Amino acid sequence: MSFWFWHGLRKGIQSTRYPARAENTPGVSPGRPVNTDFSTVEEAQLAAEICPTDAIVAHGKSTYVNPGKCVHCQLCLHSLQSPMNWETGYEWTRLPADGKEALPFPASFAKSMHIMVVDAGDCGACLHEVKQLNNPLYNMHRLGFFLTATPRTADLLLVVGPVSENMRGPLLKTWEAMPTTRKVMAVGGCAIAGGVFGKSFMCACGVSAVLPVDFEVPGNPPPPLAILHGLLVVAGRKSLNSPRPISEGRP
Amino acid sequence: MATHSSPIAGGNIAGLADLTGMIVERFGDQVAQLRAGANFILTLSVGQPSALPTLAQFLFWEHGCLFGGITAEEHSNHWQIHYTFLLPGSGWIDVEFSMALETKTLPSIVTEVHAADWHEREIEDLFGIHFENHPRLGDFVLHDQIWHEGIDPMRKTFSAERPQLERKVDLEWQPLLVVGDPGSFAMPVGPVYEGGIGESLHFLLETVGEDVIRAAPRLFYNYRAVEKIAEGRSIPDALLLAERFAATSAFAHSLAFCLAAERIAAVEAPPRAAALRVLLAELERLRHHAGAIAAICESTALAVAAAQASIIEEQLLRASCVFTDHRYLFGLNTPGGLNRDFELEQCKTLLATVDKAESDLRILERRLRLSSSFLDRLEDVGVVIGESARDLNLVGPIGRASAQHCDLRRACSYSGYGRLAFDVPCETEGDGYARLRILFAEATQSARLIHQVADTLEGGPVRVAYEVNHAGAALGWTEAPRGAALHWLRVDERGIVERYRAITPSFNNWLGFHVAAENFAFQDFPIILATFGLSATECDR
Ligand code: SF4
């Protein structure tokens, strides 16, 4: 059995250098569509029309993307004559669209933050990407992020999924059991705006319909580094994503 | 009984002529009509409901058919209930029964086909059809603490948009406890996990102290009413749902949905698309299995092995992202083929990662075989013997670890699997270790399939025009990473979805979980759970 120890050591350090350095290995992020200026009004119109979730809004020759609504169907990348511009990064964490100014935790949290993860009707992708943060390639422990054993000692509530009716109760109970200094982070398009599930008798159309949300990580699903960026923002160690000023599809 | 003069009499499909003959002999008048169709190799219209249990018993036990599931459809003036069976090597059989909308009772077939249990519970909870003699109806999808009975959300009169604010909830509701020994108690686990990351799911571990006597899962915390909200959407919009209700097997489900949609319009994806679909589906399986192996290692606290398996999984996620622009293969399938084509160069890069993953998995397996303390924790743990697996119709890797050979890629080929060479590994022990071996063996086969497809990839388009201009219904199926996935789709003449039903392997196999989780030590619980590797969200939909 001791051979595992050697095999472990022999692999060397595998973890990403992010956030000290940018991580650019291909495949760590699928990227996402961004605001695009087309050469004709028609092209902009076509881009807006192809989007199944109305995440793209055309305004003259320009299009604006609401990343919270994008479900990453790739239609505006592969099915248009003139595709949308696609950015390759992952530092996407933003404040909720309701304009509330959430502040990150004070500096005392910078070195250690305890996280409670709740799956509120998620399809498995976002949760799986959160799980990846535990694997040696991302290893969130090295940055002082830990999963807690109880909501009583949790600093951050990380919610994935659109909030299914059957999970509304458990989600609220978890939130209520946390200290009031808590922050809430909605991870993924479904947790932000309901994703493909929208609003129905069974879905709340996002976490903000149930709880006050402080930070949002868009993506369908956001890749592990995007979630890690979110954690760093909450801990006050990274700054928010600031897209071109006219965002949110509201020119 | 009226027999159609359709091709079944010729019996070009193995075993079918025999079966038809036997049904005619045994059931005579009870089966009103027997016909072959585009969807099913055989459709049996049953005249009297009393014939359903005996017919089900005959097909499942005497004729060795596999149970697909039950689908209820509400038409303008009648119910249509489909009992789907698979005649392995031949195709799907539909036992169909229609009754007036006012009639809301059916005989249960649970005594005959145990695997129908949850299908009947689901239909009762969502449609309000009562199944006579079913041992336990009521609280299932709609949890009784927060929903009252009689809501029946799948009925056409129920509007999915309107929030159900006034609920007469059952505050007295108590979970059903079976163990009654003095001093016994139940330990709740979930749906929110402390100190870990898990899908929403609740267990009551009934125990008298050291050992757990029984562990019953309570599911549907993630129920998003996908089948309901798909109604009224166009096919491409409903596809978004099919792809995104269970993302860890997104490609398999979107493929099954597209195959159903294509069958309705009598369109077939071009050969290049069919081949690429196999490649992508196997890539998903390989990645899924690497993840499942990592979870098993983690459940036994073998940290280095877990880390190495999860690195393999992440490498495959990255390779998927480089190849398709999405780590979970979203946005590729479309009715009529694929949304995009791939370059040869891209395929080569992918193959290199697949080879690396496959050889890393082999090395990992060899090392695990030498780790006796690891094997001790898996062997004889969570055993499902062959008879139980058959009785509960377990599918996928779990079924194959308990001597159930069925693999839809073989048993009922689709997307060109019939022309490819691969093995369907099978084990008989039915314990945690057998399930782990199956995962490793299948991962190797997936890599083999990916290579075969890449080597023989033809040129040509990846998509044909797709349009629906007539009403219709069809079944699409795939062998998803966790087992058989069946998608039933009915659209009207404008291509608007009237009924969508997704029968998933997790739904199927969670029913059998309690067999594996009987009389075990507390510390084995995570291991049993991990070797089953089921998804709650795939079950809940
Ligand atoms: S990728 Fe996002 S923005 Fe583009 S069409 Fe799809 S949902 Fe809309």
Side-chain angles (χ1 to χ4, degrees):
Chain A
M1 283 299 287
S2 56
F3 63 80
W4 284 113
F5 177 70
W6 290 114
H7 291 311
L9 279 185
R10 274 207 0 230
K11 277 264 175 195
I13 294 174
Q14 302 270 317
S15 305
T16 168
R17 300 294 295 277
Y18 182 81
R21 285 203 212 135
E23 170 67 66
N24 293 320
T25 312
V28 291
S29 168
R32 62 173 183 178
V34 285
N35 300 351
T36 307
D37 296 322
F38 290 99
S39 45
T40 66
V41 177
E42 287 71 36
E43 283 174 343
Q45 212 62 47
L46 283 176
E49 273 162 26
I50 205 166
C51 179
T53 54
D54 300 327
I56 303 176
V57 176
H59 190 72
K61 290 181 193 168
S62 302
T63 53
Y64 300 91
V65 183
N66 178 351
K69 277 186 164 185
C70 170
V71 296
H72 214 115
C73 68
Q74 303 189 37
L75 285 176
C76 63
L77 176 65
H78 291 299
S79 302
L80 283 176
Q81 289 283 332
S82 9
M84 293 283 286
N85 290 343
W86 207 264
E87 79 167 320
T88 49
Y90 41 78
E91 295 196 333
W92 298 337
T93 306
R94 59 172 202 177
L95 296 175
D98 63 16
K100 203 183 73 181
E101 275 296 320
L103 292 173
F105 277 123
S108 49
F109 286 78
K111 290 218 168 72
S112 150
M113 188 168 77
H114 289 247
I115 306 158
M116 187 83 213
V117 180
V118 175
D119 161 18
D122 158 68
C123 71
C126 294
L127 195 68
H128 203 257
E129 297 292 52
V130 175
K131 240 185 239 170
Q132 296 303 312
L133 292 177
N134 262 335
N135 85 25
L137 294 174
Y138 298 106
N139 187 8
M140 65 173 174
H141 294 172
R142 84 198 142 94
L143 297 167
F145 299 129
F146 306 99
L147 298 170
T148 51
T150 151
R152 297 260 180 244
T153 59
D155 306 314
L156 173 71
L157 180 64
L158 192 162
V159 191
V160 292
V163 188
S164 59
E165 199 53 40
N166 289 352
M167 269 312 282
R168 177 196 286 262
L171 174 64
L172 275 171
K173 274 192 192 164
T174 311
W175 183 75
E176 280 159 9
M178 289 172 68
T180 47
T181 49
R182 72 208 148 195
K183 305 259 180 223
V184 178
M185 185 161 88
V187 170
C190 296
I192 295 171
V196 292
F197 304 107
K199 189 167 173 56
S200 74
F201 72 109
M202 263 296 173
C203 272
C205 204
V207 184
S208 60
V210 181
L211 295 176
V213 173
D214 301 298
F215 296 95
E216 292 181 347
V217 185
N220 194 281
L225 287 175
I227 303 168
L228 201 57
H229 174 249
L231 297 179
L232 290 164
V233 167
V234 180
R237 292 160 66 178
K238 271 268 173 190
S239 51
L240 288 160
N241 169 264
S242 44
R244 240 169 68 192
I246 314 170
S247 64
E248 310 300 75
R250 270 185 250 106
Chain B
M1 174 159 78
T3 343
H4 247 240
S5 58
S6 44
I8 40 167
N12 52 349
I13 303 170
L16 198 58
D18 274 1
L19 176 62
T20 336
M22 280 157 88
I23 292 174
V24 173
E25 197 180 300
R26 277 280 291 277
F27 294 92
D29 297 342
Q30 290 174 309
V31 174
Q33 210 188 26
L34 210 116
R35 59 184 190 277
N39 264 319
F40 301 98
I41 52 164
L42 188 63
T43 298
L44 305 166
S45 301
V46 176
Q48 288 304 318
S50 55
L52 288 169
T54 33
L55 191 56
Q57 138 91 20
F58 168 78
L59 288 171
F60 188 77
W61 286 113
E62 291 178 39
H63 214 78
C65 288
L66 298 161
F67 178 67
I70 310 179
T71 304
E73 289 191 281
E74 181 185 344
H75 296 290
S76 54
N77 56 3
H78 67 282
W79 293 107
Q80 194 180 20
I81 318 287
H82 304 273
Y83 297 78
T84 313
F85 292 88
L86 174 69
L87 184 60
S90 303
W92 298 96
I93 296 170
D94 178 30
V95 176
E96 163 207 284
F97 177 70
S98 296
M99 60 184 186
L101 276 187
E102 306 79 64
T103 333
K104 285 172 78 180
T105 41
L106 269 175
S108 167
I109 63 164
V110 167
T111 321
E112 287 73 20
V113 182
H114 204 151
D117 186 348
W118 282 13
H119 288 270
E120 293 186 351
R121 283 179 76 180
E122 185 180 356
I123 293 172
E124 195 267 348
D125 215 12
L126 301 182
F127 287 89
I129 296 178
H130 184 79
F131 289 86
E132 287 163 341
N133 297 328
H134 190 292
R136 189 180 168 202
L137 296 171
D139 173 77
F140 190 54
V141 177
L142 306 180
H143 294 166
D144 278 5
Q145 306 102 307
I146 54 169
W147 300 95
H148 58 265
E149 291 297 310
I151 294 180
D152 306 341
M154 286 300 290
R155 293 295 305 264
K156 294 282 179 198
T157 45
F158 182 93
S159 153
E161 282 89 55
R162 216 186 42 193
Q164 289 282 307
L165 297 174
E166 285 145 38
R167 292 185 221 146
K168 299 183 277 300
V169 296
D170 180 6
L171 295 172
E172 305 289 287
W173 186 87
Q174 288 288 328
L176 179 79
L177 296 179
V178 174
V179 182
D181 302 77
S184 66
F185 63 97
M187 200 176 105
V189 179
V192 174
Y193 293 96
E194 295 168 342
I197 302 170
E199 288 183 312
S200 300
L201 159 79
H202 176 80
F203 289 97
L204 270 181
L205 306 182
E206 289 185 64
T207 171
V208 281
E210 286 297 310
D211 284 355
V212 180
I213 314 287
R214 174 176 174 270
R218 182 166 165 79
L219 288 141
F220 299 102
Y221 284 95
N222 282 0
Y223 177 64
R224 288 141 293 169
V226 163
E227 291 180 5
K228 178 70 183 182
I229 58 177
E231 289 176 9
R233 293 197 187 196
S234 67
I235 291 179
D237 275 357
L239 170 62
L240 289 175
L241 287 172
E243 190 167 73
R244 282 165 178 78
F245 74 82
T248 45
S249 41
F251 193 83
H253 288 295
S254 63
L255 177 56
F257 181 93
C258 287
L259 290 171
E262 285 160 16
R263 203 157 288 129
I264 292 176
V267 164
E268 216 173 301
R272 185 175 171 84
L276 282 167
R277 279 172 167 184
V278 170
L279 186 145
L280 292 161
E282 294 307 320
L283 177 61
E284 182 175 77
R285 192 182 321 277
L286 181 60
R287 188 207 74 217
H288 169 271
H289 285 9
I293 291 165
I296 294 176
C297 296
E298 206 176 294
S299 73
T300 63
L302 192 56
V304 178
Q308 296 189 349
S310 60
I311 290 178
I312 301 174
E313 186 194 16
E314 173 67 19
Q315 301 297 11
L316 286 165
L317 280 166
R318 288 180 185 180
S320 305
C321 186
V322 172
F323 189 57
T324 69
D325 292 321
H326 199 280
R327 288 162 56 95
Y328 294 86
L329 311 179
F330 285 5
L332 299 169
N333 270 314
T334 185
L338 291 173
N339 262 329
R340 56 171 298 191
D341 202 352
F342 300 94
E343 311 278 337
L344 192 65
E345 267 319 298
Q346 291 173 292
C347 282
K348 282 201 185 123
T349 331
L350 179 70
L351 285 184
T353 317
V354 166
D355 286 345
K356 174 86 171 61
E358 202 253 345
S359 74
D360 284 354
L361 281 173
R362 271 175 202 263
I363 296 170
L364 183 66
E365 185 182 18
R366 224 174 25 239
R367 289 178 187 161
L368 288 175
R369 276 180 199 272
L370 294 174
S371 309
S372 50
S373 67
F374 170 73
L375 298 185
D376 283 347
R377 302 211 59 188
L378 293 185
E379 276 171 330
D380 291 324
V381 165
V383 179
V384 183
I385 54 165
E387 286 91 73
S388 306
R390 168 73 182 131
D391 184 30
L392 291 158
N393 199 52
L394 297 188
V395 295
I398 300 171
R400 292 190 281 274
S402 299
Q404 305 306 304
H405 300 255
C406 179
D407 183 322
L408 291 186
R409 295 174 295 172
R410 262 290 150 65
C412 199
S413 160
Y414 57 91
S415 201
Y417 272 108
R419 288 189 296 276
L420 297 164
F422 63 99
D423 298 325
V424 177
C426 203
E427 301 276 353
T428 50
E429 288 91 336
D431 61 354
Y433 187 33
R435 292 196 278 275
L436 179 73
R437 290 201 302 275
I438 292 280
L439 291 174
F440 274 114
E442 290 192 1
T444 306
Q445 294 303 318
S446 292
R448 181 177 167 198
L449 278 164
I450 292 173
H451 264 282
Q452 260 180 73
V453 170
D455 290 347
T456 56
L457 200 56
E458 305 172 29
V462 290
R463 185 176 183 174
V464 288
Y466 180 84
E467 204 190 351
V468 186
N469 42 25
H470 59 89
L475 183 74
W477 61 90
T478 53
E479 181 73 20
R482 297 185 186 86
L486 270 60
H487 290 233
W488 170 255
L489 184 66
R490 180 181 294 281
V491 297
D492 66 9
E493 61 292 338
R494 296 162 302 145
I496 300 298
V497 176
E498 286 186 328
R499 174 80 170 106
Y500 166 51
R501 167 106 173 110
I503 299 172
T504 64
S506 290
F507 181 79
N508 214 313
N509 285 351
W510 270 120
L511 170 67
F513 179 75
H514 71 94
V515 180
E518 261 173 22
N519 299 319
F520 59 90
F522 259 116
Q523 65 271 23
D524 284 344
F525 185 61
I527 301 177
I528 301 176
L529 210 53
T531 59
F532 256 65
L534 294 175
S535 157
T537 198
E538 190 184 63
C539 167
D540 300 353
R541 288 156 289 142

